[in-house]
Amino acid sequence: MATESKKDWILMVTARSPTNIAVVKYWGKRDEALILPINDSISVTLDPSHLCTTTTVAVSPNFDRDRMWLNAKEISLSGGRYQRCLREIRSRAGDVEDEERGICIGKEDWGKLHVHIASYNNFPTAAGLASSAAGFACLVYSLAKLMNVREEQGKLSAIARQGSGSACRSLFGGFVKWEMGKDSAGSDSIAVQLADEQHWNDLVIIIAVVSSRQKETSSTTGMRESVETSPLLHYRSTEVLPKRILQMEEAIRTCDFPSFARLTCADSNQFHAVCLDTSPPIFYMNNTSHRQVPHSFIVSLH
């Protein structure tokens, strides 16, 4: 690795990724390690200027280990999901050269260099707003830029998926479908953009945060328990969702708000029914949410 004579250089990349709101939800995995879902899902990506994760990644020969800070607090990178994302990005890294500073990093050098990661969510973490989706999407995207990974967005989404399932959808704007795929290795479980950010300009999404407290049951735990104990979950994934996915795609394509609203509400209600059908039952709605159920669908048009 040819670098500046003084090994005090640092290269940085900063990226911003939005969270997404599922209108046909992902719930349940057929493979826990690879995060392969039991159903397709569809989401709308929110405006990154409102709800997003901002991540800065840096590399330097002075770094002696990989480190990460989330909302200014250092967290461990030893978890399997972080390690998978780091490993997958490093394996695809390319050459990086900064002629002005005399820095040249060969693709074979990335395995010996360490990174520092600083990530910040401008919305409550683990409170139900898919902070992990924005976080892992931003992590994968920023690392890919830092390491000059030349992969199309769909392939990057398969890496982000291994950090957090719905993260694959936050790599695209507009309306996004996460295809469950059939390959046991997950090569075809990727996100694809159904329509870009300009497709439905008069659609407005309002987020009302009724509690910023962390969920009592994590999504990972909840999904596992639902897969193991809920007959309704399996009926939903095999009998209901294939038709609902097609109907939602058509509603998005034609900007049919009544159908879009009806399908989104139906899917949300069925998701909470699956949670109640899980043993022990899972409760993601609080008292404020229950009081607002008749008015809970607040996606609206100008």
Side-chain angles (χ1 to χ4, degrees):
M1 176 172 59
T3 65
E4 295 170 317
S5 57
K6 294 182 180 179
K7 292 189 176 183
D8 58 359
W9 58 265
I10 184 170
L11 291 178
M12 293 190 297
V13 167
T14 297
R16 187 176 64 173
S17 293
T19 188
N20 66 79
I21 299 293
V23 292
V24 178
K25 299 182 183 299
Y26 141 61
W27 194 252
K29 305 181 186 76
R30 69 180 191 274
D31 186 303
E32 290 260 348
L34 295 175
I35 311 185
L36 299 178
I38 64 172
N39 63 270
D40 293 344
S41 59
I42 295 176
S43 65
V44 56
T45 304
L46 303 184
D47 187 336
S49 64
H50 295 151
L51 296 175
C52 70
T53 295
T54 301
T55 298
T56 297
V57 293
V59 62
S60 170
N62 290 326
F63 296 163
D64 60 359
R65 58 193 171 95
D66 295 333
R67 300 177 69 185
M68 181 172 180
W69 292 262
L70 175 61
N71 297 333
K73 181 180 179 181
E74 187 165 7
I75 64 172
S76 173
L77 279 172
S78 62
R81 295 187 178 195
Y82 287 111
Q83 289 301 310
R84 279 193 295 272
C85 290
L86 285 165
R87 184 173 61 251
E88 292 288 338
I89 291 295
R90 280 185 168 121
S91 70
R92 293 165 171 78
D95 299 332
V96 174
E97 186 171 0
D98 186 330
E99 293 183 1
E100 290 186 5
R101 299 173 61 190
I103 300 172
C104 181
I105 304 173
K107 59 183 180 181
E108 69 280 358
D109 297 320
W110 286 106
K112 296 173 284 187
L113 289 167
H114 297 285
V115 295
H116 285 185
I117 304 159
S119 189
Y120 173 76
N121 298 324
N122 71 352
F123 56 93
T125 301
L129 286 172
S131 58
S132 63
F136 275 101
C138 204
L139 174 67
V140 167
Y141 184 83
S142 57
L143 285 172
K145 288 296 182 184
L146 179 72
M147 299 185 189
N148 193 26
V149 174
R150 299 182 179 276
E151 294 276 16
E152 62 183 25
Q153 207 84 324
K155 291 185 178 179
L156 284 182
S157 77
I159 300 174
R161 184 204 76 228
Q162 295 178 60
S164 173
S166 53
C168 67
R169 299 189 309 239
S170 277
L171 281 167
F172 297 88
F175 296 88
V176 185
K177 179 182 179 182
W178 174 13
E179 298 178 339
M180 61 178 288
K182 297 179 179 179
D183 179 27
S184 61
S187 64
D188 56 353
S189 183
I190 63 173
V192 295
Q193 189 180 58
L194 297 176
D196 65 20
E197 300 90 327
Q198 306 305 316
H199 172 68
W200 202 343
N201 278 329
D202 54 353
L203 181 70
V204 176
I205 298 179
I206 301 171
I207 307 294
V209 179
V210 298
S211 173
S212 60
R213 292 179 57 190
Q214 186 168 328
K215 294 177 293 187
E216 292 183 6
T217 304
S218 71
S219 296
T220 298
T221 299
M223 287 189 204
R224 183 183 304 120
E225 293 177 351
S226 291
V227 168
E228 292 174 354
T229 66
S230 172
L232 179 57
L233 173 69
H234 298 283
Y235 177 78
R236 173 179 184 265
S237 64
T238 58
E239 301 297 329
V240 178
L241 287 190
K243 181 185 296 184
R244 183 174 290 160
I245 287 286
L246 294 175
Q247 292 171 335
M248 181 62 78
E249 289 180 358
E250 179 64 13
I252 291 169
R253 187 186 68 80
T254 59
C255 299
D256 178 355
F257 184 75
S259 295
F260 178 80
R262 176 181 55 80
L263 291 165
T264 302
C265 284
D267 197 70
S268 176
N269 290 339
Q270 192 172 66
F271 160 71
H272 289 291
V274 166
C275 290
L276 289 175
D277 190 49
T278 300
S279 180
I282 304 167
F283 302 94
Y284 286 127
M285 297 180 73
N286 59 26
N287 290 336
T288 303
S289 302
H290 282 295
R291 286 197 299 270
Q292 298 300 319
V293 164
H295 311 289
S296 62
F297 188 75
I298 50 177
V299 178
S300 62
L301 292 172
H302 282 315

